Amino acid sequence: MVICDTCGNAYDTPMTITQNGTVGVYDSFDCAIQGMAPTCGTCGNRVTGRGSRSASVVYCGDTCVPG
């Protein structure tokens, strides 16, 4: 049994995701999103879609991009 990095549940068929050299082990996509998705620079929501980027900051959409 492997322990989920986000929620701590023991799970017999976890998923392992590697992003930019960081490896995470999760029991669900929800936990993977919480563990690895960036947060919006304005509202703090997890960016699960394409989002927007300004300089090095990620935003959930154009409405959150300042200016």
Side-chain angles (χ1 to χ4, degrees), residues 17-49:
I17 300 174
T18 303
Q19 180 185 43
N20 298 327
T22 300
V23 178
V25 178
Y26 306 102
D27 68 346
S28 67
F29 284 111
D30 184 50
C31 283
I33 289 167
Q34 292 304 311
M36 297 193 92
T39 55
C40 176
T42 298
C43 69
N45 287 330
R46 292 289 179 178
V47 180
T48 58

